[in-house]
């Protein structure tokens, strides 16, 4: 065995010594590309894009050297490229390639290389007529014109709201907002900034218009005594770990509206979503934080708002849930909440009224009314198609737990009239009552579809789920015990198209059908359950 090992080593050395070094010929063209134009999705002014990929092929039998790969605008280009892991020439002398110019790039026969592309540009750099910023990647050769790949991106201007910072890199201190003391006695402080009526850059930050989008870093805070007004058509984008907080003595008014009866095209709705504009991020949950409403004002109202891709869509609570008796309040109408990694609407000992509210695809619950409170929902559609065996569409409870304490509060009312409670699980509604101390737990479901298939008989003897024999809590319930029975037949729940594709022909309580549906269709004749009226 010793002699065999020695022979193998000598054989390997002989192969290495006989190998000819690669000989590269200068490119004469003939490269092929995975794309002839790279479209980088819309970016906000001065905010870097995602990284895009271009593949370059050498289909020939020759090892070639590309004399130069460069951006057409050279070192002045707002694009940056990386070629097969290389960062290019160092034009500014800082010892790091600038991602603009690459000399003598080698490419083996029948091989390929990757070019990675990014852009950070200002609206002033774009074409003033279409706001496109363009350039090209030039692949030179020893004869003839370069081969080019065009680069195109749309630059969108925006209002930027962010916390101020002091200090130096790696040691920055950020402006914070203090929301008081939580139940553990800890100060609830978030990185964020107070919205101002006289901001030196943005002007009045307490009126959000549709002139250009808003991009929020950290938490934008509506101070006590102030009102945030969001006009129809406004578009608001939240960065990761960012959101909006409405102070205890502040007010929020979202004034979206409906332009026509089309559920897929409403330019006057207000949209809150993340700041990643690429199509692959359009339905990714958990990209930003929440809209936190601490306000106890009865004037808080949200109309025609779509919230997408948050952690919690709307969080309605008092920070000190155990000691402070102040009750946050909100009315939400004609609004939609989708793709939240935790909860669509989370209300804790709050007063919440919902009318024509639609929710879907939330990691834990589409609607969670916890720690008691007062809730009234009419013609709402709460669905949950999140891929989990633990998710539900609706959760009601009378408690809230911290690390050390369980707090219990009265559920004064939880009324659901002409609603749809549905989803992909067998059971889509949970009533969770704790009896540590006596408390009220009042609820009523009236003319509702409820997805509830008691397959394991775990709820058989639980008197909170006597759907057909408990008239105090249930009236005319359409119990969906399988996917065929009382299926609401949404247009496409996977894509959050939650309007009805067929006439349900189920009776509603007409006393609660006196207003138009979410897209302003009349319910005067044969009203349907849920937020949408069926259209032939």
């Amino acid at each position: 065995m010793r002699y065999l090992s020695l022979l193998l080593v000598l054989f390997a050395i002989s192969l290495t010594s006989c190998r000819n070094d690669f000989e590269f010929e200068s490119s004469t063209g003939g490269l092929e590309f995975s794309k002839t134009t790279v479209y980088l999705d819309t970016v906000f002014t001065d905010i870097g894009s995602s990284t895009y990929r271009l593949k370059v092929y050498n289909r020939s039998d020759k090892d070639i050297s590309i004399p130069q790969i460069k951006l057409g605008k050279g070192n002045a280009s707002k694009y940056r490229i990386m070629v097969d892991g290389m960062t290019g020439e160092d034009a500014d002398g800082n010892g790091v390639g600038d991602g603009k110019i690459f000399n003598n790039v080698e490419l083996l026969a029948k091989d390929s290389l990757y070019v990675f592309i990014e852009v950070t540009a200002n609206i002033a750099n774009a074409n003033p007529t279409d706001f496109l910023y363009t350039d090209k990647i030039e692949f030179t050769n020893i004869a003839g014109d370069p081969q080019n790949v065009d680069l195109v991106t749309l630059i969108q201007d925006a209002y930027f709201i962010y916390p101020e910072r002091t200090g130096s890199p790696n040691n920055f201190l950020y402006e914070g907002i203090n929301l008081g003391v939580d139940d553990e006695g800890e100060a609830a402080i978030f990185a964020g900034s107070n919205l101002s009526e006289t901001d030196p850059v943005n002007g009045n930050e307490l009126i959000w218009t549709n002139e250009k989008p808003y991009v929020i870093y950290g938490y934008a805070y509506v101070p006590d005594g102030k009102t945030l007004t969001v006009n129809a058509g406004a578009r608001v984008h939240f960065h990761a770990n960012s959101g909006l907080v409405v102070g205890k003595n502040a007010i929020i008014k979202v004034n979206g509206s409906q332009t026509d009866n089309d559920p897929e095209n409403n330019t006057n709705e207000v949209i809150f979503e993340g700041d990643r504009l690429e199509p692959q991020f359009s339905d990714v949950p958990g990209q930003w934080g929440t809209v936190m409403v601490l306000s106890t004002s009865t004037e808080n109202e949200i109309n025609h708002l779509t919230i997408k891709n948050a952690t919690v869509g709307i969080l309605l609570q008092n920070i000190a849930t155990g000691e402070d008796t102040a009750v946050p309040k909100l009315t939400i109408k004609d609004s939609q909440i989708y793709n939240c990694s935790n909860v669509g609407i989370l209300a804790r000992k709050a007063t919440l009224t919902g009318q024509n509210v639609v929710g879907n695809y939330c990691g834990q619950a589409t609607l969670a009314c916890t720690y008691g409170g007062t809730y009234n929902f009419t013609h709402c559609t709460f669905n949950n198609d999140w891929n989990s065996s633990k998710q539900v569409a609706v959760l009601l409870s009378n408690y809230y737990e911290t690390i050390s304490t369980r707090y219990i509060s009265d559920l004064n009312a939880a009324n659901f009239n002409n609603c749809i409670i549905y989803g992909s699980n067998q059971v889509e509604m949970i009533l969770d009552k704790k009896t540590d101390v006596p408390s009220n737990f009042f609820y009523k479901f009236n003319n509702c579809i409820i997805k509830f298939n008691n397959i394991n008989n775990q709820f058989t003897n639980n008197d909170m789920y006597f759907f057909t024999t408990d008239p105090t809590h249930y009236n005319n319930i359409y119990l969906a015990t399988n996917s065929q029975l009382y299926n609401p037949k949404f247009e496409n729940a996977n894509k959050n198209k939650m309007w009805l594709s067929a006439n349900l022909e189920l009776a509603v309580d007409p006393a609660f059908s006196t207003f138009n549906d979410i897209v302003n269709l009349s319910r005067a004749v044969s009203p349907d359950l849920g937020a949408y009226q069926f259209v032939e």
Side-chain angles (χ1 to χ4, degrees):
M1 289 296 295
R2 182 183 304 171
Y3 297 109
L4 179 58
S5 299
L6 179 60
L7 287 173
L8 290 173
V9 171
L10 291 173
F11 179 67
I13 293 173
S14 67
L15 287 178
T16 304
S17 63
C18 292
R19 181 181 64 82
N20 292 325
D21 291 336
F22 292 112
E23 295 182 1
F24 292 89
E25 298 182 8
S26 295
S27 173
T28 58
L31 298 172
E32 295 181 18
F33 308 102
S34 58
K35 299 176 182 178
T36 56
T37 301
V38 177
Y39 295 95
L40 286 77
D41 291 297
T42 304
V43 296
F44 292 115
T45 185
D46 288 330
I47 301 299
S49 72
S50 291
T51 302
Y52 294 78
R53 185 179 69 181
L54 171 71
K55 201 169 186 180
V56 183
Y57 300 93
N58 174 18
R59 305 290 193 191
S60 75
D61 297 322
K62 298 179 180 180
D63 303 327
I64 64 172
S65 175
I66 305 169
Q68 192 171 72
I69 300 176
K70 68 174 184 177
L71 290 164
K73 295 179 180 178
N75 289 318
S77 180
K78 302 301 180 182
Y79 289 96
R80 301 175 302 280
I81 60 176
M82 177 181 286
V83 178
D84 255 12
M86 299 179 292
T87 57
E89 301 300 312
D90 178 16
D92 57 12
N94 65 354
V96 179
D98 299 312
K100 313 291 185 182
I101 299 172
F102 300 75
N103 293 321
N104 300 317
V105 178
E106 297 174 344
L107 181 55
L108 295 173
K110 305 296 185 181
D111 202 355
S112 62
L113 59 80
Y114 284 105
V115 179
F116 297 97
I117 308 157
E118 297 176 346
V119 65
T120 304
N122 191 284
I123 191 69
N125 305 128
N127 186 327
T129 59
D130 55 17
F131 304 108
L132 293 177
Y133 181 69
T134 61
D135 202 347
K136 59 186 176 182
I137 305 175
E138 297 180 354
F139 297 80
T140 65
N141 53 76
I142 60 172
D145 296 331
Q147 291 182 265
N148 298 327
V149 173
D150 292 322
L151 306 176
V152 181
T153 191
L154 177 66
I155 310 297
Q156 191 168 8
D157 199 9
Y159 295 107
F160 293 91
I161 297 174
Y162 52 87
E164 298 294 334
R165 68 182 185 185
T166 58
S168 57
N170 301 320
N171 192 32
F172 283 121
L173 294 176
Y174 287 88
E175 177 186 4
I177 52 175
N178 191 336
L179 304 183
V181 178
D182 64 19
D183 291 305
E184 300 298 326
E186 300 292 334
I189 300 176
F190 293 73
S193 57
N194 293 327
L195 296 176
S196 170
E197 295 163 310
T198 57
D199 185 82
V201 176
N202 297 325
N204 190 350
E205 295 177 329
L206 289 166
I207 299 178
W208 291 356
T209 71
N210 60 9
E211 295 175 358
K212 55 185 180 180
Y214 291 78
V215 181
I216 312 297
Y217 288 81
Y219 277 81
Y221 180 60
V222 186
D224 287 346
K226 302 295 183 180
T227 298
L228 172 64
T229 302
V230 185
N231 291 344
R235 301 291 184 262
V236 185
H237 301 266
F238 296 91
H239 193 62
N241 302 314
S242 299
L244 173 66
V245 178
V246 183
K248 185 179 294 187
N249 297 305
I251 297 171
I252 182 172
K253 288 186 175 295
V254 177
N255 298 324
S257 62
Q258 182 70 36
T259 51
D260 52 34
N261 304 129
D262 185 352
E264 295 188 272
N265 183 26
N266 181 14
T267 57
N268 276 352
E269 72 172 332
V270 175
I271 299 178
F272 287 180
E273 59 183 325
D275 65 346
R276 300 298 299 271
L277 304 184
E278 304 89 333
Q280 62 267 34
F281 286 92
S282 61
D283 294 315
V284 176
Q287 295 181 45
W288 55 284
T290 186
V291 176
M292 185 187 302
V293 180
L294 310 176
S295 173
T296 61
S297 172
T298 58
E299 297 182 49
N300 294 315
E301 187 163 332
I302 290 174
N303 294 284
H304 288 285
L305 169 65
T306 292
I307 295 178
K308 300 192 298 182
N309 308 331
T311 300
V312 174
I314 296 175
L315 174 55
L316 189 63
Q317 69 168 6
N318 189 321
I319 289 294
T321 55
E323 301 298 333
D324 198 326
T325 58
V327 177
K329 300 178 179 68
L330 178 66
T331 297
I332 178 169
K333 300 178 180 179
D334 304 309
S335 296
Q336 306 167 75
I337 301 177
Y338 300 128
N339 304 331
C340 296
S341 58
N342 287 359
V343 181
I345 300 176
L346 174 55
R348 291 172 174 158
K349 197 169 70 173
T351 296
L352 175 60
T353 299
Q355 177 178 298
N356 288 337
V357 178
V358 181
N360 185 34
Y361 204 75
C362 300
Q364 296 175 2
T366 302
L367 170 69
C369 299
T370 67
Y371 190 38
T374 303
Y375 308 101
N376 291 282
F377 299 99
T378 306
H379 276 289
C380 294
T381 299
F382 298 117
N383 190 73
N384 200 348
D385 276 5
W386 188 278
N387 185 22
S388 166
S389 61
K390 296 182 179 180
Q391 58 84 356
V392 294
V394 171
L395 166 67
L396 303 179
S397 84
N398 65 336
Y399 69 95
Y400 170 71
E401 290 181 324
T402 66
I403 296 175
S404 59
T405 307
R406 176 190 287 166
Y407 298 96
I408 292 180
S409 181
D410 289 333
L411 180 63
N412 298 308
N415 298 312
F416 293 79
N417 298 294
N418 299 341
C419 292
I420 296 174
I421 299 171
Y422 204 79
S424 56
N425 273 354
Q426 297 293 333
V427 171
E428 286 290 349
M429 183 186 75
I430 292 294
L431 308 179
D432 189 5
K433 178 183 178 181
K434 301 300 183 185
T435 57
D436 304 33
V437 296
S439 66
N440 294 324
F441 201 93
F442 296 136
Y443 58 95
K444 181 67 178 284
F445 294 86
N446 177 43
N447 288 74
C448 295
I449 292 176
I450 300 177
K451 177 74 173 291
F452 200 94
N453 185 12
N454 185 22
I455 56 175
N456 295 322
N457 295 318
Q458 66 182 104
F459 301 101
T460 300
N461 297 318
N462 189 328
D463 61 4
M464 301 184 75
Y465 300 97
F466 289 177
F467 298 104
T468 59
T469 59
D470 179 7
T472 300
H473 297 108
Y474 298 102
N475 174 58
N476 197 28
I477 299 303
Y478 304 102
L479 203 62
T481 55
N482 59 59
S483 59
Q484 284 73 46
L485 186 63
Y486 301 125
N487 188 322
K489 299 177 182 178
F490 301 120
E491 178 70 19
N492 190 334
N494 290 332
K495 296 183 178 180
N496 294 321
K497 297 181 178 182
M498 305 303 295
W499 52 94
L500 305 176
S501 64
N503 193 337
L504 299 180
E505 298 181 344
L506 299 175
V508 305
D509 187 335
F512 296 97
S513 300
T514 57
F515 51 90
N516 289 354
D517 83 342
I518 189 172
V519 294
N520 205 31
L521 288 171
S522 173
R523 288 192 172 100
V525 179
S526 300
D528 285 302
L529 297 175
Y532 287 96
Q533 184 72 2
F534 172 69
V535 178
E536 294 284 355

